[in-house]
Amino acid sequence: AADMAFNMFDDFYPGSLSMFWTKVSQLIAPRYQSNKPTKQSYEHDKQQHLMHQLNSIFSKTMGEMPTFGPKDLAQTALGFSKIVKEVDNHQRHFQGTPLQILRDIFIGQNSQQKDFIFQCVANASMPMLPKFDSRCLANLAYA
């Protein structure tokens, strides 16, 4: 999924960015994971490649977030919150796995990245808050 998204990186618009993070949150949900954690980590090159792709898409999302409409902003915030919840619940991830990479991006050291992300969501939502319909407002509040 990251390869396909990264290949279309220049054509991303707010809706596709929010949809990407929603899909990532769905793919890492417990129902899609096996019950036994795997100790097998990605090869170093694959790990670096995935880290680069996800960081690039994440940076583009954060940079364009102020231009999102209410629906895309709420969907992105909801996707982000589900990712944070999942990777934060597993304090110990095996090094080099996609969950560890997402934890590094979304949580960071001492939860600094997590705080920054949701402050950016709050800042982007404030000017457009009156434009949110009830569903978008509920999703934003849930996130």
Side-chain angles (χ1 to χ4, degrees):
D3 278 334
M4 185 175 77
F6 190 74
N7 289 337
M8 298 170 35
F9 184 75
D10 291 332
D11 297 329
F12 269 3
Y13 59 94
S16 57
L17 287 167
S18 63
M19 189 180 318
F20 174 78
W21 294 114
T22 298
K23 291 299 176 191
V24 169
S25 72
Q26 291 170 349
L27 288 172
I28 66 169
R31 67 179 175 267
Y32 292 106
Q33 298 174 24
S34 68
N35 291 334
K36 296 179 183 178
T38 177
K39 291 185 180 181
Q40 181 182 16
S41 65
Y42 280 180
E43 297 169 24
H44 181 72
D45 289 344
K46 287 182 183 177
Q47 177 187 357
Q48 294 300 317
H49 183 68
L50 181 60
M51 176 67 106
H52 170 71
Q53 290 176 326
L54 291 175
N55 265 325
S56 297
I57 296 168
F58 176 77
S59 295
K60 183 174 181 94
T61 303
M62 295 301 288
E64 293 188 12
M65 196 177 295
T67 68
F68 286 15
K71 180 181 177 187
D72 294 328
L73 184 60
Q75 185 175 351
T76 301
L78 193 56
F80 279 3
S81 69
K82 289 179 179 181
I83 292 169
V84 166
K85 180 181 176 187
E86 186 59 35
V87 299
D88 208 16
N89 281 343
H90 297 93
Q91 295 295 321
R92 187 177 153 198
H93 295 291
F94 295 107
Q95 194 63 29
T97 64
L99 287 176
Q100 178 62 46
I101 292 169
L102 287 169
R103 182 175 172 74
D104 291 346
I105 293 171
F106 282 88
I107 305 294
Q109 293 182 345
N110 301 320
S111 297
Q112 291 173 338
Q113 188 69 0
K114 178 172 60 171
D115 296 341
F116 171 74
I117 291 168
F118 290 105
Q119 186 59 55
C120 287
V121 169
N123 292 344
S125 67
M126 290 305 289
M128 68 176 93
L129 215 46
K131 297 177 184 176
F132 277 75
D133 63 18
S134 58
R135 183 177 183 172
C136 291
L137 193 56
N139 285 342
L140 187 65
Y142 179 79

